[in-house]
Amino acid sequence: MKKALPFLLIIAVLIGVGVWNQETLRPLLVKYREGILVAQTSSPQTSAPQTQPTLPTQSPERPHGVSDRPQPVLTTPVERRPTPVRLTAIGAVQPIATVLLRSRIDSLIEAVHINDGQEVARGDLLYSLDARPIESQLRQSEAILERDRAQLEKSRIDVRRFGDLLRNDAVAREKYETALTSANVLEATVKADQANLDGIRLTLDYTKIRSPIAGRAGAILMRPGNVVRAGDPQPLVQLTQLRPIYAAFNIPERDLPAIRRAMATAPVEVMARIPGENGAEALGRLDFIDNAVDSQTGTIALKAKFDNTDTLLWPGQFVSVVITLRIDPQALTVPNETLQTSQQGTFVYVVRPDRTVEARPVTLDRSIDGRTVVTSGVKEGEIVVTEGQSRLRPGARVITPGANEGVKDRAKPTKPAANTMATSPNTPGERP
């Protein structure tokens, strides 16, 4: 019994502590639970769904930040105006003629009469070669020709004399025929001498090298003192024709029928523009269509000729080529600024008579000089918005500069709507 007494005391103490704790903590637990329930029934966040206020959501018909007041915009009418039908391509400028100037005889260069990059005209003297050996041959040939002409003249006199004697039977026919043969031989000799003399004179002319075209000289490759030979691979200078000049380019084969139809009715105008140079344009005409389509690329080569009087176009230069096929006199057009893009496609804002706007889908054809040709969606005379579309929605009211309505509102910035939600200052559970 004495041994079990300590254990009984420990059990009694534990039971007493448990009873005290239960009596002490029970009121606190009740008050805590009551406080939670009161907070739940009085808080707006935990109220029933039918009485809970909702935050303002973005309406699908009114984009965030768009006001119901009239919005200032710029407008323009849909117009019909003459509009060209054009094709564009990238081309390269090519000279019509390029000449690599070489000597046609073996000689020594005595003088060069041009400078690097000089403009030359057709027939201008460019090089002078040593002509003394050829001049000596010329004088010798002239002397031989004179000798043979003298012999021919004597032979002709003999023929006439023997002819008279033969009619009087004073000479044998054989002598007459011999004289006649000699005269014919000398006549042929004189002709040969004349041909040889003409050849030497032509060779002498080769010592004066002249420009065969009007153009621009490149770098002078051979200077005085150099010996040149006929057939040398090294040219003396390269000449390039600048006026007129070609622009060569390729177009897809699908555009070939339209180009051929345009060329059959009138000359096709072509404009070449230099990229990066404002106003640098040259006007010409389509001059050449290749005789076959390149089967590997599906394109065909064309060339346009330009007068190039101001030498705006330079050989080897890349240019943007614009081909005008025809002029559409009544094309329905709108400025490019009116076009807007959505997931459904391209549309414009059309201003209705009640000064509200409508988002109208449009079908586009081509864009020329800041305006786009529209095939469907709008009509001539309708008013479309060109500036201020970011503030609009379908059905929004608009004003234009100069209108009496909304002038003051347009000058004031739009203020965001104030939050009208408020909680009661006596809400249970809210800290002051």
Side-chain angles (χ1 to χ4, degrees):
M1 185 68 180
K2 293 181 180 180
K3 294 180 179 180
L5 184 61
F7 294 101
L8 294 176
L9 292 175
I10 292 173
I11 293 173
V13 172
L14 292 176
I15 294 174
V17 172
V19 171
W20 182 85
N21 289 338
Q22 184 178 4
E23 295 296 331
T24 304
L25 295 176
R26 182 178 296 173
L28 297 177
L29 293 173
V30 171
K31 291 182 180 181
Y32 177 76
R33 292 174 181 173
E34 290 177 355
I36 293 177
L37 293 176
V38 171
Q40 290 178 347
T41 56
S42 61
S43 174
Q45 287 79 1
T46 59
S47 60
Q50 60 271 18
T51 60
Q52 180 182 359
T54 58
L55 293 173
T57 59
Q58 182 175 343
S59 173
E61 296 185 357
R62 184 199 303 179
H64 181 70
V66 175
S67 175
D68 283 335
R69 67 184 63 186
Q71 299 298 323
V73 296
L74 297 180
T75 60
T76 188
V78 180
E79 299 178 352
R80 291 190 180 273
R81 58 173 57 186
T83 306
V85 178
R86 292 174 175 169
L87 300 175
T88 58
I90 300 298
V93 180
Q94 294 181 354
I96 294 179
T98 299
V99 178
L100 295 175
L101 212 60
R102 292 184 173 92
S103 174
R104 303 178 69 176
I105 60 173
D106 298 345
S107 185
L108 179 74
I109 298 177
E110 281 193 341
V112 179
H113 305 283
I114 58 171
N115 298 318
D116 294 334
Q118 180 179 331
E119 292 272 352
V120 297
R122 181 183 178 90
D124 284 354
L125 180 61
L126 308 181
Y127 280 84
S128 294
L129 305 182
D130 186 7
R132 291 172 296 177
I134 302 175
E135 290 174 347
S136 176
Q137 295 177 11
L138 178 63
R139 290 191 295 268
Q140 182 179 2
S141 296
E142 289 175 344
I144 293 173
L145 177 60
E146 292 297 329
R147 181 197 64 187
D148 292 340
R149 281 178 176 174
Q151 292 179 355
L152 175 60
E153 185 64 26
K154 178 182 179 301
S155 180
R156 286 175 177 173
I157 295 173
D158 291 342
V159 170
R160 288 195 299 268
R161 184 173 65 250
F162 283 115
D164 294 339
L165 295 173
L166 181 61
R167 282 192 294 270
N168 296 325
D169 294 329
V171 69
R173 177 174 291 275
E174 182 179 1
K175 289 186 177 182
Y176 171 77
E177 292 176 354
T178 301
L180 182 61
T181 302
S182 298
N184 293 336
V185 169
L186 289 172
E187 184 175 358
T189 302
V190 169
K191 290 181 179 180
D193 293 341
Q194 183 65 50
N196 184 56
L197 181 62
D198 292 340
I200 295 176
R201 286 174 177 170
L202 181 61
T203 303
L204 181 62
D205 190 58
Y206 290 160
T207 62
K208 304 296 183 183
I209 301 177
R210 302 181 182 273
S211 174
I213 62 172
R216 187 181 182 92
I220 305 300
L221 303 178
M222 299 292 283
R223 297 291 178 175
N226 286 283
V227 176
V228 293
R229 299 182 183 278
D232 277 347
Q234 175 71 19
L236 303 177
V237 68
Q238 176 175 322
L239 302 178
T240 302
Q241 181 177 342
L242 300 180
R243 308 178 190 88
I245 203 167
Y246 278 142
F249 53 94
N250 289 56
I251 63 166
E253 59 179 320
R254 66 174 180 270
D255 296 326
L256 179 60
I259 291 179
R260 294 186 62 190
R261 287 194 299 268
M263 291 189 69
T265 57
V268 177
E269 182 182 280
V270 179
M271 180 171 57
R273 295 173 177 171
I274 300 177
E277 295 290 334
N278 295 329
E281 299 176 351
L283 293 178
R285 292 183 177 180
L286 190 62
D287 187 70
F288 166 78
I289 298 179
D290 202 359
N291 58 1
V293 175
D294 189 340
S295 59
Q296 294 183 352
T297 62
T299 61
I300 187 168
L302 286 78
K303 290 183 180 180
K305 182 184 288 186
F306 300 86
D307 293 336
N308 203 32
T309 54
D310 55 355
T311 63
L312 176 65
L313 303 180
W314 208 255
Q317 190 177 35
F318 285 98
V319 292
S320 299
V321 179
V322 180
I323 310 166
T324 302
L325 299 180
R326 68 178 188 276
I327 303 295
D328 189 354
Q330 293 293 324
L332 194 65
T333 64
V334 296
N336 293 345
E337 296 81 7
T338 63
L339 303 177
Q340 303 295 308
T341 304
S342 67
Q343 294 181 351
Q344 289 73 29
T346 305
F347 69 95
V348 297
Y349 280 112
V350 179
V351 181
R352 294 182 288 212
D354 60 354
R355 307 301 295 173
T356 60
V357 295
E358 171 191 359
R360 187 87 57 80
V362 291
T363 304
L364 309 180
D365 183 12
R366 60 189 184 275
S367 180
I368 302 291
D369 298 334
R371 298 187 70 89
T372 299
V373 178
V374 181
T375 57
S376 64
V378 292
K379 299 179 181 179
E380 181 182 6
E382 287 188 315
I383 305 300
V384 292
V385 178
T386 60
E387 187 175 338
Q389 295 96 326
S390 61
R391 298 186 296 270
L392 301 181
R393 70 181 190 281
R397 293 188 298 128
V398 297
I399 58 173
T400 55
N404 295 329
E405 181 183 4
V407 175
K408 295 182 179 180
D409 293 340
R410 184 175 46 182
K412 297 179 180 180
T414 303
K415 296 181 179 180
N419 187 5
T420 57
M421 294 181 57
T423 58
S424 172
N426 299 323
T427 300
E430 180 182 2
R431 293 186 179 181

